[in-house]
Amino acid sequence: MSAIAGYVGNADPAVLDKMLNAVAYRGDRSDTAHANGAGIGYRMWSGRPGKSSGVHQNGDSLCAVSGSVVPRVDSPASELPAILNDPARLARLDGNFAAAWWDGDRKRLSFLRDPFGVRTLYYVEHAGVFYFASELKQILAIPGFRNEPDLVAIHKYLTFSFVPGEDVPIKGVKRLLPGRIAVWQDGKLSITPYFALREKIDPELAVRKPAVKLVRRLCREAVTKRLNGESEVGLFLSGGLDSSGVGVWLKQAGVNVKAFSLDFGKASVERDQAKIVAETLGIPLTFVKAGGEDLVPVIMDLVWKLDLPFGDAVTGPQYLMARAARQAGLSAVFNGEGGDQLFGGWTSKPMISAQLYAGLYGEDSREQNYLRSYHRFYNLEDRLYTPEFLAQIGPPGPRRALLAPYLRSENATTFLNRIRLADISLKGSQNILPRMDRTSQCWGLDVRAPLFDRALAEASFTLPPQMKLHGACEKYVLKLALQKYLPREIVWRRKFGMSVPITDWALGPLAGVLEDLLGPVSLKRRGLFRPEYIAELRAGHDQPNEIRRRRIGERLWTLAMLEAWFRVFIDGKGVSPGGSA
């Protein structure tokens, strides 16, 4: 819904206009300010409550905040120096924001991201100037900057289905991780965390009543403090427990709600459940048609708006649903992302099983088991990669090294909480939240994920593991907290997930797009992948031991989004490809 950009050094001040124009869809006006040796720009929508109205300038001090902070302040940019200079405020700082402060007196730039990474910040040093920006395409707008692909980062994408860590697929560009403050001063960069989750299990919360009371209160507060005075907000309602719970707390807050749910036709899994929840809560529900044929005209615009390649097929339907919410006149929408990560969702069970039975069938580490859980191309490199690509990716260790800080963290002693640290920090902060932000921001829609709340997340690490994964029942305490407000068949049914019918789409209405992106001509030009394996996937065949048909479509979509990203960000240097719907 907004974006920032800036520089420190001897740059042409006009570069800020170029960087802000690269993301014109993130607002209806721009503001820039310059001081001795630095400049900051801000692209925003007019009249949005809880947002800064422009770059705040006080002498040689420049501040900009994209997004909003929690606890709420009327002008985040004017409050930024006070927040950064107050440890007590930093200790509770939350929200969805990317922020920067140029302290002209000390010739120091500080920039930071929200605790869970809803908003993104990139940075690069080029021609003696330090630059930062909300989106990668803004970095590519810097005059003279060369956009060479980073094949090691691309290799990681093909394992995770998103690009993890600080590296991005453009050489020289880095990404600030969530919950960090970076300082650039005297030509040196230092990065420190201001937020980290730590396990502090409270034995009193092993009792149902106090645990449920705590979760109910914090969930309700997480929703309430993300309301900025809007008379009406949207809700992305899947029919699952998490988004249904957010609907409950929005209604308890007294706000008018319009719900939106995806309609995959005959392939829909939770359509009936979404209707039940909407009727129970008394909120209007709009179904948004999402089929492969609906994605064909918008895929290149989707890739451009996503900024980074994302290999989860839900991105296309999310883009269509956000468009529908904006067309309905909304400027803010809530969703239920975060429940699985905070409360031990269904993805935790396979990892725990693998840990319990480790050693029976091999010597795989917990890192290797976790990498397999992404179901993309881990251990398939020899089948997929050309020899030339294989020669450039280096040893396998860097992918496992991304996981070790969480799966072997000293901040947690229980294995479930170590999995949750990994899920929150990787799947949540580097995949779910940024793709959620991009598919909504591109329509001028401010999306809020209240379950990714700092106080709620910290409290979740005080709950004993059995309050999250209770036998085979996942998210146990959250279900207990919601069972008095929602029908039993919603709260206690088995989780099915979004279940995007991507294989049917890939072999059907998207086949022509895949021929263009992944056909022999395209593969030969790019030189990264063996055409034989991709031809097998496109024919509807996968490796013999793969029993789930949806993996075919997931892998094809991952590859297609990467080739489309190459065309937009490498061949096209980040310029809009056109085709916006």
Side-chain angles (χ1 to χ4, degrees):
M1 196 190 65
S2 57
I4 60 174
Y7 67 86
V8 177
N10 186 24
D12 181 355
V15 71
L16 288 183
D17 292 323
K18 292 182 172 66
M19 297 174 79
L20 296 176
N21 288 339
V23 289
Y25 55 83
R26 279 187 172 257
D28 56 11
R29 67 186 187 91
S30 294
D31 186 30
T32 60
H34 303 271
N36 185 21
I40 292 180
Y42 176 41
R43 181 77 179 174
M44 78 219 84
W45 290 98
S46 304
R48 298 283 177 94
K51 308 295 191 296
S52 301
S53 59
V55 177
H56 179 75
Q57 184 166 14
N58 183 11
D60 282 340
S61 175
L62 311 175
C63 297
V65 178
S66 169
S68 54
V69 300
V70 173
R72 178 186 168 182
V73 296
D74 290 333
S75 177
S78 62
E79 287 285 320
L80 184 59
I83 292 172
L84 292 179
N85 286 323
D86 186 346
R89 295 184 73 174
L90 272 178
R92 63 179 188 274
L93 180 62
D94 200 4
N96 56 325
F97 60 84
W101 171 32
W102 169 250
D103 184 344
D105 293 335
R106 288 184 278 189
K107 303 296 181 185
R108 183 174 70 183
L109 172 71
S110 301
F111 56 102
L112 67 156
R113 289 178 68 189
D114 60 78
F116 295 101
V118 177
R119 301 295 175 95
T120 302
L121 275 177
Y122 302 98
Y123 59 91
V124 69
E125 189 175 5
H126 171 67
V129 179
F130 186 84
Y131 296 92
F132 66 89
S134 293
E135 292 202 27
L136 186 58
K137 60 182 70 70
Q138 294 175 274
I139 298 292
L140 299 185
I142 298 169
F145 181 77
R146 295 183 62 184
N147 57 330
E148 298 181 44
D150 185 331
L151 295 185
V152 175
I154 289 165
H155 167 57
K156 293 174 183 176
Y157 162 78
L158 291 163
T159 293
F160 288 88
S161 82
F162 58 91
V163 183
E166 296 177 312
D167 294 336
V168 297
I170 301 288
K171 287 184 178 179
V173 183
K174 297 291 185 181
R175 174 175 47 182
L176 184 66
L177 292 178
R180 267 72 167 180
I181 298 174
V183 174
W184 175 261
Q185 189 173 28
D186 298 328
K188 297 179 181 179
L189 183 70
S190 61
I191 299 175
T192 55
Y194 69 89
F195 167 73
L197 289 168
R198 292 178 175 84
E199 180 185 81
K200 297 178 181 178
I201 293 177
D202 183 348
E204 293 187 4
L205 295 177
V207 180
R208 285 175 46 169
K209 187 173 181 179
V212 169
K213 184 177 180 180
L214 175 69
V215 169
R216 277 184 184 152
R217 176 177 64 82
L218 290 176
C219 286
R220 187 166 56 246
E221 290 175 359
V223 168
T224 302
K225 63 191 178 187
R226 282 165 175 77
L227 291 167
N228 288 327
E230 298 91 351
S231 59
E232 186 172 58
V233 299
L235 171 66
F236 290 158
L237 179 65
S238 70
L241 180 70
D242 305 332
S243 60
S244 301
V246 173
V248 168
W249 298 310
L250 283 169
K251 289 294 291 184
Q252 290 179 353
V255 66
N256 292 325
V257 182
K258 287 182 178 177
F260 298 83
S261 188
L262 290 167
D263 183 358
F264 298 129
K266 293 181 180 179
S268 296
V269 174
E270 296 184 311
R271 183 171 52 189
D272 291 343
Q273 286 73 26
K275 290 175 64 176
I276 292 171
V277 173
E279 290 170 0
T280 299
L281 299 180
I283 57 179
L285 174 62
T286 298
F287 283 104
V288 179
K289 180 179 176 295
E293 66 279 3
D294 301 301
L295 296 181
V296 171
V298 303
I299 279 182
M300 298 308 289
D301 185 64
L302 169 65
V303 170
W304 183 59
K305 299 288 178 55
L306 283 172
D307 208 44
L308 290 175
F310 286 91
D312 194 323
V314 75
T315 53
Q318 284 179 331
Y319 172 98
L320 298 175
M321 190 161 57
R323 180 179 66 181
R326 185 65 170 143
Q327 289 172 343
L330 297 171
S331 62
V333 66
F334 284 70
N335 70 20
E337 301 284 17
D340 285 337
Q341 288 73 36
L342 260 62
F343 295 105
W346 65 277
T347 56
S348 300
K349 290 190 284 190
M351 281 296 298
I352 289 175
S353 297
Q355 180 73 7
L356 287 173
Y357 297 104
L360 292 181
Y361 302 102
E363 299 300 326
D364 289 348
S365 68
R366 62 185 62 169
E367 288 84 3
Q368 289 171 299
N369 287 327
Y370 196 93
L371 289 170
R372 281 198 193 92
S373 74
Y374 287 98
H375 302 292
R376 292 311 191 271
F377 298 102
Y378 184 68
N379 281 346
L380 295 176
E381 294 86 355
D382 288 340
R383 292 194 67 188
L384 177 64
Y385 294 5
T386 61
E388 294 78 13
F389 187 17
L390 274 172
Q392 296 184 65
I393 62 174
R399 291 178 296 178
R400 295 197 293 270
L402 287 165
L403 298 170
Y406 311 112
L407 295 180
R408 302 181 186 276
S409 175
E410 294 182 357
N411 287 351
T413 58
T414 63
F415 185 61
L416 175 59
N417 278 340
R418 287 177 171 176
I419 294 173
R420 292 176 55 239
L421 284 175
D423 282 352
I424 291 168
S425 302
L426 288 166
K427 291 179 180 177
S429 295
Q430 300 180 44
N431 180 29
I432 293 172
L433 289 175
R435 82 179 186 224
M436 170 199 79
D437 177 73
R438 299 296 166 76
T439 54
S440 297
Q441 292 268 351
C442 67
W443 298 111
L445 194 63
D446 188 13
V447 63
R448 299 163 193 173
L451 294 183
F452 277 107
D453 175 80
R454 180 171 183 167
L456 180 61
E458 290 170 340
S460 77
F461 277 83
T462 68
L463 292 165
Q466 66 268 26
M467 277 295 166
K468 295 181 279 281
L469 194 57
H470 192 78
C473 179
E474 69 272 5
K475 296 186 285 191
Y476 180 60
V477 70
L478 188 61
K479 292 181 177 182
L480 292 173
L482 287 168
Q483 65 178 349
K484 66 185 289 186
Y485 305 111
L486 293 168
R488 181 176 179 82
E489 64 265 32
I490 299 299
V491 174
W492 295 103
R493 72 187 179 93
R494 182 169 65 89
K495 181 181 176 69
F496 289 94
M498 186 68 70
S499 298
V500 177
I502 186 58
T503 298
D504 291 339
W505 295 352
L507 303 181
L510 292 178
V513 173
L514 295 184
E515 172 64 28
D516 175 44
L517 294 173
L518 301 177
V521 174
S522 177
L523 294 175
K524 182 177 180 180
R525 181 176 66 247
R526 197 66 62 195
L528 297 178
F529 304 127
R530 296 176 183 267
E532 300 84 5
Y533 178 42
I534 295 179
E536 290 179 24
L537 290 173
R538 291 183 57 212
H541 307 297
D542 203 348
Q543 53 184 347
N545 65 342
E546 182 57 76
I547 62 173
R548 298 196 177 189
R549 184 172 177 269
R550 74 168 185 262
R551 304 298 183 213
I552 296 171
E554 290 170 347
R555 289 178 173 130
L556 285 171
W557 180 264
T558 299
L559 294 168
M561 294 299 278
L562 177 61
E563 172 58 26
W565 181 88
F566 263 104
R567 294 186 186 185
V568 174
F569 287 89
I570 301 299
D571 305 341
K573 298 184 177 180
V575 176
S576 170
S580 178

